[in-house]
Amino acid sequence: MAGLSPTQLRKFQEDGFLVLEGIFPPKECDIMREQIQKIVAEMEVPSHCRIEFSTQAEEQLRTQSNTDYFLTSGDKIRFFFEKGVFDKEGNFLFPPENSINKIGHALHAFDPVFKRITHSPQVQELVKSLGLEVPVVVQSMYIFKQPHFGGEVTPHQDATFLHTEPLGRVLGIWIALEDSTLENGCLWFIPGSHTGGIFRRMVRVQTDSVGITSFIGSEPVYEDSRFIPTPIQKGGLILIHGEVVHKSELNCSAHSRHVYTFHIMESKGTNWSQDNWLQPTPELPFPLLYT
């Protein structure tokens, strides 16, 4: 696997994202999905942690970010669920494997399969061709986008949640483990929207040992017509600039849209903001990408 061509590099710099088909063989995608099935089969979720995942800002703060479970997940493998999958007692209304929204945020560090993919030659070559010198991995997620009710993700910039000084140092790597289509909730981007800074930040406010989060600023209302869809086949990869505006729609289809995604930061000459929700820990300093 070679890195990006000059044309691809220019397109990424202009648009803030780049769709690359055929980066991983289908078999690698199947291995990741099989590994996740094992993790889900063995998961134990304490009832008080059965929080539901949402990107609507107020719900997000109330139900998720204010819980220790989320805020201390940066160096662990933890489970976050779709809306409406628990009864009032916190019992599953649907099979657990069909109820998960995502698993985060340290698969890249603690699971051998995802660690190998994160540091794979394909990823290292792509990142080197973007000119990153000392990239570190800050977080990872497995996103399920369940059939029929895989929730929408409202327009956002990743740097809202993963802020650096200076900006422009965060890169998302998004790997399609199944075909990602218009019907099952592919990503949509506003090309060129990575050049105007960020509009909103989620910060951790220290109130006790863990703290809570709050938002500074507000997300503008974006015209739907500015977004373009990026369907991609199984094994494809999308590079995502930390400030490009993107979203995905509700999955109304009968097919899931499994994805493994992680974020890296150019650590050379960069300050990771101390009030980001996610912080490196003694147990898990941000690992170097290049091996």
Side-chain angles (χ1 to χ4, degrees):
M1 162 77 206
L4 298 177
S5 69
T7 307
Q8 289 173 319
L9 185 57
R10 192 162 57 245
K11 184 150 182 60
F12 175 74
Q13 290 165 342
E14 288 171 2
D15 291 347
F17 66 95
L18 185 67
V19 177
L20 299 165
E21 294 280 9
I23 300 297
F24 288 95
K27 182 159 178 40
E28 288 278 27
C29 299
D30 295 340
I31 288 169
M32 284 187 265
R33 292 192 62 193
E34 286 160 13
Q35 186 71 356
I36 278 294
Q37 286 173 347
K38 290 178 197 163
I39 290 172
V40 170
E42 294 168 8
M43 82 175 165
E44 291 178 23
V45 185
S47 57
H48 69 87
C49 291
R50 294 182 181 212
I51 56 177
E52 295 178 352
F53 183 77
S54 162
T55 54
Q56 305 296 333
E58 284 191 338
E59 279 184 71
Q60 195 172 18
L61 293 178
R62 185 171 66 249
T63 63
Q64 175 192 342
S65 306
N66 291 345
T67 67
D68 293 0
Y69 187 73
F70 171 71
L71 286 175
T72 56
S73 66
D75 59 356
K76 298 177 185 68
I77 294 173
R78 287 192 168 165
F79 306 91
F80 303 91
F81 297 92
E82 292 289 355
K83 289 186 194 176
V85 298
F86 296 110
D87 64 17
K88 287 189 171 62
E89 282 73 52
N91 301 309
F92 284 104
L93 294 167
F94 305 95
E97 63 274 14
N98 297 342
S99 305
I100 303 183
N101 173 290
K102 70 174 186 176
I103 297 176
H105 289 90
L107 285 162
H108 64 280
F110 297 127
D111 182 88
V113 169
F114 292 96
K115 185 174 187 175
R116 178 173 60 77
I117 295 294
T118 303
H119 297 276
S120 61
Q122 295 98 309
V123 169
Q124 293 196 41
E125 288 298 320
L126 286 171
V127 173
K128 278 178 183 156
S129 68
L130 286 167
L132 276 71
E133 293 182 57
V134 192
V136 294
V137 187
V138 299
Q139 70 155 11
S140 54
M141 295 181 286
Y142 190 103
I143 300 170
F144 291 79
K145 202 76 164 177
Q146 300 283 4
H148 307 302
F149 58 73
E152 72 166 329
V153 178
T154 53
H156 67 283
Q157 300 167 293
D158 292 340
T160 286
F161 307 95
L162 309 171
H163 187 266
T164 59
E165 293 155 15
L167 285 169
R169 301 304 178 92
V170 169
L171 174 72
I173 308 277
W174 194 96
I175 302 167
L177 307 185
E178 303 179 276
D179 291 352
S180 173
T181 65
L182 288 169
E183 293 73 35
N184 72 1
C186 69
L187 293 182
W188 295 66
F189 292 89
I190 300 181
S193 57
H194 61 302
T195 57
I198 60 167
F199 299 100
R200 190 169 66 126
R201 278 198 62 199
M202 186 171 94
V203 296
R204 183 185 290 221
V205 184
Q206 213 59 37
T207 54
D208 50 37
S209 62
V210 173
I212 57 170
T213 58
S214 63
F215 283 102
I216 299 171
S218 58
E219 204 68 49
V221 176
Y222 302 101
E223 290 173 34
D224 278 346
S225 60
R226 296 177 63 195
F227 287 90
I228 67 161
T230 57
I232 188 169
Q233 293 179 328
K234 176 179 179 175
L237 180 154
I238 304 179
L239 295 172
I240 304 173
H241 187 287
E243 284 124 74
V244 73
V245 177
H246 58 292
K247 67 173 184 175
S248 65
E249 304 290 350
L250 184 69
N251 181 2
C252 298
S253 80
H255 303 284
S256 57
R257 191 220 66 188
H258 287 210
V259 165
Y260 175 55
T261 182
F262 55 95
H263 287 90
I264 61 177
M265 170 184 74
E266 169 62 271
S267 64
K268 186 177 179 182
T270 309
N271 288 317
W272 180 255
S273 299
Q274 292 299 299
D275 51 3
N276 282 339
W277 77 267
L278 176 81
Q279 294 295 330
T281 64
E283 294 76 30
L284 183 60
F286 292 153
L288 292 166
L289 178 72
Y290 299 152
T291 52

